[in-house]
Amino acid sequence: MKHARFLAGGRIQHGAVSDDGTLLDAAGRRVHEEGLVWLPPVAPPKVIGLALNFADHAAELELKTPEAPALFLKPLTSLTGHKSPVIAPPNIEYMHYEVELVVVIGSGGRRITRDNAYEHVKGYTIGNDVTIRDFVGNLYRPPVKAKGFDTFTPLGPWMIDRDDLPNPNDVTLRAYVNGELRQEGNTRNFVNDIPALIEYISDFMTLEEDDLIFTGTPKGLSHIYPGDTMRLEIEGIGALENPVVAE
């Protein structure tokens, strides 16, 4: 099932998306697009990011693949929904998208083993880890400023149930800008697969329901500008679309 969260009629609502793409509220009634605001499909306690989890992405940045998962946290204020604008600050040189498969935690816990990691997964969604490369480097590690601006974490449009993506470690990811394919990869090329990430993170941090784990992006970065439209697609989930606007 595709689980959605949205603002309509002046209140936050939960619903679902049917096979034909119709948005339904919790009572099964059709929700019309007029006045609709898509929200991130879950409201997470925390957002955990992962750098350099594709070797080809590390290579394009002329960096080595980390020996252990390179984690960072993204502020909740960076979250935004499908079709909402991503706001580009002024006077920057290099801002880019990052298409990522996002794991939504179900039952949380500590010291989860890789053998039962999927039992703790609620579902999956699409994330865009928008980044300003100007603020990535030795002086900006972890890259909080680079990835922490308001609106820099588009998420959605919906979350699918865990069992609706039977092999999340073998799905294709694509990013388009203004209809042009800019980025493409497959999660089978993860350096650290999903069970390994859950095991590693939960060894020192309690995972809670609706926590998000961004699993990394493949190669294919390029600059985006105000006026551009980003469309991120993940096989088996759908497409997340956001315009870029100037601050």
Side-chain angles (χ1 to χ4, degrees):
M1 180 180 289
K2 297 174 180 176
H3 304 271
R5 184 168 162 268
F6 52 91
L7 181 65
R11 61 189 180 91
I12 295 175
Q13 301 187 48
H14 294 79
V17 178
S18 65
D19 291 340
D20 65 3
T22 301
L23 178 62
L24 307 173
D25 66 13
R29 297 169 299 204
R30 180 177 181 179
V31 179
H32 296 283
E33 288 285 332
E34 185 178 356
L36 172 71
V37 177
W38 290 86
L39 300 175
V42 298
K46 53 186 174 289
V47 181
I48 304 165
L50 179 64
L52 307 177
N53 200 35
F54 284 80
D56 60 0
H57 175 54
E60 78 172 330
L61 297 175
E62 299 181 346
L63 297 171
K64 294 182 179 180
T65 302
E67 294 183 5
L71 304 177
F72 56 90
L73 296 175
K74 298 200 73 169
L76 299 183
T77 48
S78 69
L79 289 166
T80 194
H82 177 53
K83 295 188 177 180
S84 291
V86 170
I87 302 172
N91 304 316
I92 57 171
E93 293 186 4
Y94 189 9
M95 174 176 169
H96 60 77
Y97 49 83
E98 292 188 7
V99 57
E100 304 200 19
L101 176 66
V102 179
V103 178
V104 182
I105 295 297
S107 60
R110 277 286 308 276
R111 297 190 174 92
I112 299 166
T113 66
R114 65 171 296 121
D115 290 339
N116 68 351
Y118 285 119
E119 297 175 14
H120 295 264
V121 173
K122 177 184 288 187
Y124 305 96
T125 187
I126 304 169
N128 187 352
D129 184 18
V130 179
T131 304
I132 296 177
R133 213 92 228 132
D134 309 35
F135 304 125
V136 178
N138 291 334
L139 295 177
Y140 297 100
R141 289 288 187 185
V144 176
K145 184 174 183 180
K147 297 172 177 286
F149 281 80
D150 290 355
T151 74
F152 269 33
T153 312
L155 193 76
W158 43 71
M159 179 194 74
I160 65 167
D161 292 326
R162 175 192 63 201
D163 294 343
D164 289 339
L165 195 68
N167 189 1
N169 292 298
D170 188 10
V171 294
T172 298
L173 304 83
R174 296 185 180 92
Y176 297 83
V177 178
N178 304 327
E180 177 188 359
L181 179 63
R182 299 278 184 91
Q183 186 179 29
E184 185 172 17
N186 190 288
T187 58
R188 63 174 171 264
N189 295 317
F190 279 153
V191 175
N192 301 281
D193 65 13
I194 290 169
L197 291 173
I198 292 174
E199 182 177 68
Y200 180 83
I201 294 168
S202 68
D203 183 59
F204 66 91
M205 180 192 302
T206 298
L207 289 173
E208 303 169 273
E209 184 176 4
D210 291 336
D211 276 350
L212 303 178
I213 302 175
F214 277 63
T215 58
T217 199
K219 71 175 181 179
L221 304 184
S222 64
H223 192 17
I224 50 175
Y225 302 87
D228 287 343
T229 297
M230 302 174 289
R231 179 182 172 89
L232 310 186
E233 298 179 357
I234 296 184
E235 178 186 6
I237 301 180
L240 170 66
E241 190 169 298
N242 299 88
V244 183
V245 302
E247 185 175 356

